Amino acid sequence: MQRQREHWESRLGFILAAAGSAIGLGTLWKFPYVTGANGGGIFVIFYLICTLFIGIPLFIGELLLGRKAQRGPVGIFVTLSSEATGWKSIGWLGVVSSFLILSYYIVVAGWGLNYLLLSLNQFTLDRSAFEIVDVFNTLNQSGDITLFWAFIFLLMTFGVVFQGIRQGIEKWSKVFTTSLLVILVILFLYSVTLDGFGEAVHFLFAFNVTKFRPSAFLEALGLSFFTLSLGQGVLLTYGSYLRKIDDIPKIAMIVGGMVIVVSFLAGMMIFPVIFTFNLPPQGGEGLVFKTLPVLFAKLPGSMVISTVFFALFVFTAFTSAVALLEAVVANLIDLYGWSRKKAVCLVSFVVFIVGIPSALSGGGEIFKKWLPMYGKTFFESIDSLVSIWLLPMGGLLLSLYIGWAIKTSVLKEAFSEGSRWQAIFYVWLFLVRWLAPIAIILILLQKGGLINVDSFFIQ
Ligand code: PFF
């Protein structure tokens, strides 16, 4: 017997949950870093174009499929096509990617929790810059402590998903997404007062033609996919809890707009701190756990700034982790008729086990030769696997499925339901049917080393 499906209680609740899923570590540490590495201004324009013309149309597509089928990621393709077609592999691909991301997300977010506590204890007070940096090295090499914090973070995520859609995800996303937006604005206002603010704005928005590389466009598309949580079953799942009265195109544009604004705010918050101390823009854990704490220590009110920043870090990761866990859980509930309780317990347990190598690899307690062999730690390897390959592949198959495998009349009906945006249906369809697949195929060919887009343009 089909169980009654829960739906979001309000449009605002859904918007905050979807925005919470999108705004995550990708926005906070990947966006500033990748923007920095690709020369600032021009990359930001690419990112905007990719988000508006490819990211948001696919975002709309995922939500439409989810709402139409009212099932989890794999069930959607079984319902809309049939069991026999291979399309359901798109759902599985998404579920596997979500699962893999979650396994290393909990490690990084756990470090964030650890730094939140350290900040409250004023850990930079009697330490030199060198010693502050060394705190992270110690943490990274202490598998037990890393694992402990990853566990606590996973437990928090578990607690929310366990409570279901309205009482769990919607309620807590409202609290955390709102808090993170408020914190971000406060930190941004603080950054405005720093000497490096002007330089940061110039860096982010000024056109630097000498740094122009066509392949940066593909980087921007990859980043846009990650930050919008596309191609991983999360939006398919969240879409399946939408009601018929919800205006999907409009909601997708609101969430997409929020992600863009938040990415800019994150950049304008982090770069001024760096430029104030004349450092080159860099990213990843080096930026968040080494550079920023050293710089925070030199600023007035450092304890508060540092605490608030790491609270922001944890909150952004939290709402994204909830979405990732839900995608996997919803799939099991739908496909195998499991209870939510059983699915959440089992998935969380397996995520923790799979997360162990990510947590322990920094200290060489496990996979000692991984780093020398592959040039990346275990968790960086999973991140690249997902971000470079699985995610674009999921996006490509999805755009092909929506654009070519589903009847236009069915799509049009799903698009128009609850929406006043019917007029742009054919524009949307064109973007999903043509622009998205072509752009993603180019990414895959470029990343696979089969083409070099730069050489087409630059002799
Ligand atoms: N969008 C999140 C970020 O930018 O960190 C990461 C993410 C969350 C990706 C959820 C995918 C997802 F399904």
Side-chain angles (χ1 to χ4, degrees):
M1 197 187 70
Q2 190 89 35
R3 238 172 294 170
Q4 183 73 24
R5 197 173 189 78
E6 245 193 302
H7 287 102
W8 305 103
E9 193 165 2
S10 67
R11 194 178 75 167
L12 181 69
F14 169 74
I15 289 177
L16 291 175
S21 140
I23 301 164
L25 300 181
T27 323
L28 209 61
W29 84 6
K30 271 194 189 181
F31 177 80
Y33 165 61
V34 183
T35 304
N38 286 288
I42 201 148
F43 182 81
V44 171
I45 296 191
F46 285 166
Y47 176 75
L48 266 180
I49 295 176
C50 292
T51 303
L52 290 177
F53 295 107
I54 300 176
I56 294 180
L58 280 178
F59 196 102
I60 295 177
E62 282 204 36
L63 296 183
L64 287 182
L65 292 187
R67 179 173 68 180
K68 177 100 195 117
Q70 295 285 302
R71 305 277 308 271
V74 175
I76 286 175
F77 298 94
V78 176
T79 306
L80 299 183
S81 297
S82 77
E83 185 78 44
T85 64
W87 289 115
K88 68 175 180 197
S89 54
I90 306 179
W92 280 117
L93 190 66
V95 171
V96 170
S97 313
S98 284
F99 178 84
L100 289 176
I101 298 184
L102 189 57
S103 76
Y104 68 81
Y105 226 72
I106 57 168
V107 172
V108 182
W111 284 338
L113 273 178
N114 174 73
Y115 269 78
L116 182 57
L117 188 74
L118 282 174
S119 304
L120 284 168
N121 286 332
Q122 295 190 278
F123 78 112
T124 55
L125 211 53
D126 296 316
R127 286 190 164 108
S128 65
F130 179 76
E131 286 166 334
I132 295 175
V133 168
D134 214 37
V135 170
F136 180 73
N137 298 332
T138 309
L139 174 65
N140 194 19
Q141 284 160 18
S142 314
D144 47 357
I145 301 183
T146 297
L147 207 55
F148 169 75
W149 287 112
F151 177 75
I152 299 289
F153 182 81
L154 181 60
L155 205 62
M156 290 162 47
T157 312
F158 165 92
V160 170
V161 176
F162 188 85
Q163 294 173 70
I165 307 307
R166 289 192 180 185
Q167 286 308 309
I169 301 178
E170 184 165 356
K171 188 168 103 189
W172 291 104
S173 294
K174 275 188 190 163
V175 175
F176 282 100
T177 307
T178 315
S179 315
L180 81 85
L181 292 174
V182 171
I183 294 180
L184 196 63
V185 171
I186 294 174
L187 283 176
F188 166 72
L189 292 176
Y190 178 81
S191 278
V192 173
T193 65
L194 296 176
D195 292 341
F197 185 74
E199 200 181 331
V201 172
H202 182 77
F203 176 74
L204 273 176
F205 298 112
F207 243 70
N208 186 346
V209 186
T210 53
K211 294 236 175 112
F212 177 79
R213 269 186 314 119
S215 58
F217 190 84
L218 302 181
E219 294 279 337
L221 187 57
L223 182 68
S224 175
F225 265 58
F226 192 85
T227 53
L228 284 174
S229 309
L230 286 172
Q232 291 161 69
V234 163
L235 297 168
L236 294 171
T237 309
Y238 273 19
S240 73
Y241 305 127
L242 278 172
R243 301 160 303 179
K244 286 197 168 26
I245 52 167
D246 292 313
D247 185 341
I248 289 182
K250 184 171 164 190
I251 290 179
M253 283 184 225
I254 295 176
V255 175
M258 284 171 80
V259 173
I260 293 172
V261 171
V262 167
S263 303
F264 288 176
L265 279 181
M268 286 192 288
M269 169 196 98
I270 288 177
F271 283 130
V273 182
I274 294 173
F275 287 138
T276 300
F277 297 102
N278 279 326
L279 289 170
Q282 53 144 346
E285 77 245 27
L287 170 72
V288 173
F289 299 118
K290 294 180 182 171
T291 312
L292 286 183
V294 172
L295 303 183
F296 288 153
K298 298 187 190 170
L299 295 171
S302 77
M303 181 248 190
V304 178
I305 300 295
S306 176
T307 306
V308 170
F309 174 80
F310 284 108
L312 170 70
F313 186 86
V314 171
F315 289 2
T316 55
F318 186 49
T319 42
S320 302
V322 163
L324 291 164
L325 183 57
E326 173 63 21
V328 186
V329 165
N331 192 42
L332 296 176
I333 296 178
D334 270 353
L335 279 189
Y336 306 118
W338 290 8
S339 67
R340 174 167 286 273
K341 223 186 204 163
K342 175 171 163 191
V344 184
C345 290
L346 192 95
V347 175
S348 303
F349 177 73
V350 182
V351 164
F352 184 70
I353 300 292
V354 175
I356 291 177
S358 290
L360 301 190
S361 61
E365 282 139 291
I366 195 171
F367 297 154
K368 227 181 230 124
K369 296 279 185 286
W370 192 283
L371 182 63
M373 178 126 77
Y374 299 105
K376 288 179 175 144
T377 62
F378 181 78
F379 95 76
E380 285 166 346
S381 311
I382 300 199
D383 182 28
S384 323
L385 170 73
V386 177
S387 313
I388 299 180
W389 296 110
L390 300 187
L391 223 131
M393 266 158 58
L396 174 63
L397 292 172
L398 206 78
S399 60
L400 293 176
Y401 181 72
I402 300 171
W404 300 95
I406 299 202
K407 277 209 195 99
T408 307
S409 57
V410 174
L411 278 179
K412 192 165 184 190
E413 192 196 315
F415 190 94
S416 312
E417 205 155 46
S419 177
R420 279 195 253 136
W421 295 65
Q422 291 102 320
I424 61 162
F425 173 73
Y426 285 102
V427 177
W428 170 77
L429 188 60
F430 171 79
L431 295 173
V432 174
R433 192 174 266 183
W434 294 103
L435 191 65
I438 291 174
I440 302 170
I441 288 173
L442 285 178
I443 291 196
L444 291 170
L445 293 176
Q446 170 90 10
K447 294 281 182 197
L450 295 172
I451 57 169
N452 180 2
V453 178
D454 293 336
S455 66
F456 297 163
F457 295 88
I458 303 166
Q459 295 308 316

